[in-house]
Amino acid sequence: MSDVSASRPATGSGLDRYFGLRASGSTVPRELRAGLTTFLTMSYILFVNPQVLSTAIQVPNAFVQLLMTTAIAAAFGSLVMGLVAKYPFAQAPGMGLNAFFAFTVVQGLGIPWQTALGAVFISGILFVLLSVLGARQAIVRAIPTSLKFAITGGIGAFLAFLGLKNAGIVVSNPATLVGLGSLTAAPVWLALLGLIVAAVLMSRRVTGAILWSILATTAIAIVTRAPVYAGGPEGALRSFPGFDGRLLGILDAPVWPGSLVGHLDIAGALGLGLLSVVFTFFFVDFFDATGTLTGLAQRAGYLDERGDMPRARRTFAMDGLAAMFGAFMGTSTTTAYVESASGIGEGGRTGLTAVTVGVLFLLSMFLWPLAAAIPGAATAPALILVGALMMEGVRHVDWDDISEGLPAFLTVIAMPLTFSIANGVSLGVISYCAIKLFSGRGRQVSPILYVVAALLLVRYIWLMGG
């Protein structure tokens, strides 16, 4: 197709009528290209999400099953966002939320992964209800801007810390708690190389920079036979064991994640002791999704003069529905991805872009043998780099105002240092309300936030007492 025909808006086709291509000034080829761009930019989640969740979800062939359920959840979330909300916003299991699920809830609190999935499902129900009822604006307005940015930045710091830990760059030290690992160890130098490759590709605006970095680092590990793969004798690392003779080494039929699908424990998650976990899943996803979707809508030019997004209730409800479906399939919270901005930058303006992403995630299920070749040292740079990108928002915090800066700082620093996203959110909200109240500026805080802070404070008192 020539450049002239590609730039001509679609006419009376069924796709045009359903997605409003002509009204958005777009074309089918442009939407397809934008969808491919978004997929390449966010497809690293196919490898990183199983890497994170497999530390907490112990089932046979966990990595492959988690890769499958990641692809299915991402496909469903992107398809409903495109077909129902009709926006070019792709969805997948969220970074940060998967770390909270695995390291804080399951490993830290000792909650069974089935019960944790139940908590994710319940949080999705709450998300849908509040979206449909239009309560989103009231809750969003209750959270100060500084804490919204700090929560995102804190999750970024937490992800970066996890990446450094997984790569062996940061190790435990009995004298100083943490220390620097051996830079000559294979996982360390491979992860550092991958981080440099990803940063260089991203700085040169290469589409899918994180994915290409993972693949390039994996290729280096295979060619050099670096000992970075699990499965060696007595727990030692080994070099790449091979693909077991599959077609082209990377193609095979999809595997149904039967050990994960439908295993969520909703009844267990409704217990009083887990209400704080449900709230944290809901809280983090609610405001992360709100910020992401609003920012993407602004970038695509969809916000009205009041800063509101058309079809907001439907859009946020689809985000909650995706979280519910993902929990049923066996993965942590599915949410909107900021990487959708790459597709918007390529001209994607309608739901056809998100539908394209969903279809590509379904096709990726045939490439699951490739996952066996991806070592943790290759995905660790993705955690570090995504963490760095998520820190961008803290520059919007008013650091000159201690009542704004200190709660934001506590939010950011507490997440990696206490190894808990929930603790960071809680300390930020409680300290914000306390400082504002006792400094004579209590009226600057929404009554809703005081209620939230009181509930969090009661939770900590409850924990100390029991």
Side-chain angles (χ1 to χ4, degrees):
M1 183 178 291
S2 67
D3 291 339
V4 174
S5 60
S7 61
R8 186 182 301 123
T11 53
S13 67
L15 289 176
D16 176 27
R17 290 192 298 272
Y18 187 82
F19 291 107
L21 298 176
R22 180 165 37 178
S24 301
S26 189
T27 64
V28 171
R30 184 181 300 165
E31 295 292 309
L32 297 179
R33 184 171 63 249
L36 176 61
T37 300
T38 297
F39 173 78
L40 290 176
T41 306
M42 63 183 289
S43 56
Y44 66 88
I45 195 62
L46 288 169
F47 308 121
V48 179
N49 192 53
Q51 193 79 37
V52 173
L53 293 184
S54 60
T55 62
I57 298 179
Q58 305 297 324
V59 295
N61 206 13
F63 193 96
V64 174
Q65 290 204 59
L66 285 166
L67 186 149
M68 290 293 158
T69 205
T70 298
I72 295 172
F76 177 86
S78 299
L79 287 172
V80 295
M81 183 63 75
L83 293 172
V84 180
K86 299 183 181 180
Y87 276 122
F89 309 148
Q91 300 195 85
M95 294 295 296
L97 291 164
N98 55 7
F100 172 72
F101 180 99
F103 299 105
T104 300
V105 177
V106 178
Q107 293 187 354
L109 299 177
I111 295 171
W113 60 266
Q114 297 93 334
T115 307
L117 288 176
V120 173
F121 187 87
I122 296 170
S123 70
I125 294 177
L126 294 175
F127 196 98
V128 172
L129 289 176
L130 288 179
S131 299
V132 172
L133 294 174
R136 171 186 65 92
Q137 293 182 354
I139 298 179
V140 169
R141 293 192 184 108
I143 303 297
T145 302
S146 59
L147 285 188
K148 292 176 186 175
F149 287 121
I151 291 170
T152 302
I155 294 175
F158 186 55
L159 287 178
F161 182 74
L162 285 177
L164 294 169
K165 175 181 175 291
N166 292 345
I169 299 173
V170 172
V171 297
S172 61
N173 186 302
T176 60
L177 294 182
V178 294
L180 181 66
S182 173
L183 297 181
T184 60
V188 174
W189 65 257
L190 187 65
L192 290 174
L193 179 61
L195 182 61
I196 293 173
V197 170
V200 169
L201 292 177
M202 187 165 288
S203 69
R204 297 178 68 87
R205 301 185 183 279
V206 174
T207 300
I210 295 178
L211 175 64
W212 298 130
S213 168
I214 291 175
L215 297 178
T217 308
T218 298
I220 294 173
I222 295 174
V223 171
T224 61
R225 299 195 60 79
V228 293
Y229 295 87
E234 299 181 359
L237 296 175
R238 59 174 178 170
S239 57
F240 180 58
F243 282 111
D244 299 330
R246 293 186 176 89
L247 178 62
L248 300 178
I250 61 173
L251 295 176
D252 207 339
V255 173
W256 179 248
S259 301
L260 300 173
V261 177
H263 286 276
L264 69 170
D265 181 8
I266 299 176
L270 288 173
L272 181 60
L274 289 187
L275 291 181
S276 62
V277 175
V278 173
F279 170 76
T280 303
F281 273 126
F282 166 77
F283 183 88
V284 175
D285 180 43
F286 188 91
F287 294 107
D288 179 71
T290 299
T292 299
L293 290 171
T294 302
L296 292 173
Q298 183 180 30
R299 197 162 202 170
Y302 280 122
L303 295 187
D304 60 23
E305 63 278 0
R306 296 181 300 175
D308 290 330
M309 179 172 57
R311 305 187 302 279
R313 295 187 184 187
R314 187 190 311 174
T315 303
F316 283 93
M318 291 306 100
D319 189 87
L321 182 62
M324 293 169 59
F325 179 82
F328 177 80
M329 291 301 301
T331 185
S332 55
T333 308
T334 302
T335 188
Y337 259 57
V338 72
E339 285 85 350
S340 301
S342 62
I344 294 173
E346 287 290 326
R349 289 296 181 272
T350 75
L352 183 56
T353 294
V355 169
T356 302
V357 175
V359 172
L360 290 173
F361 268 114
L362 290 177
L363 293 177
S364 70
M365 295 172 64
F366 292 88
L367 298 174
W368 68 264
L370 182 62
I374 310 294
T379 55
L383 293 173
I384 299 170
L385 189 55
V386 171
L389 296 175
M390 293 179 72
M391 288 293 293
E392 182 270 341
V394 298
R395 65 188 176 93
H396 298 291
V397 176
D398 184 5
W399 296 105
D400 293 329
D401 184 349
I402 194 65
S403 68
E404 300 283 337
L406 181 58
F409 174 76
L410 291 175
T411 300
V412 173
I413 202 68
M415 290 189 190
L417 292 187
T418 66
F419 217 68
S420 169
I421 295 173
N423 286 340
V425 173
S426 300
L427 289 177
V429 171
I430 294 172
S431 62
Y432 185 88
C433 292
I435 294 173
K436 290 289 188 181
L437 179 63
F438 295 116
S439 62
R441 293 190 282 176
R443 292 188 177 182
Q444 296 179 4
V445 182
S446 167
I448 296 176
L449 195 63
Y450 280 123
V451 173
V452 172
L455 292 174
L456 291 172
L457 196 58
V458 168
R459 170 181 174 265
Y460 280 111
I461 295 173
W462 182 288
L463 292 176
M464 287 187 294

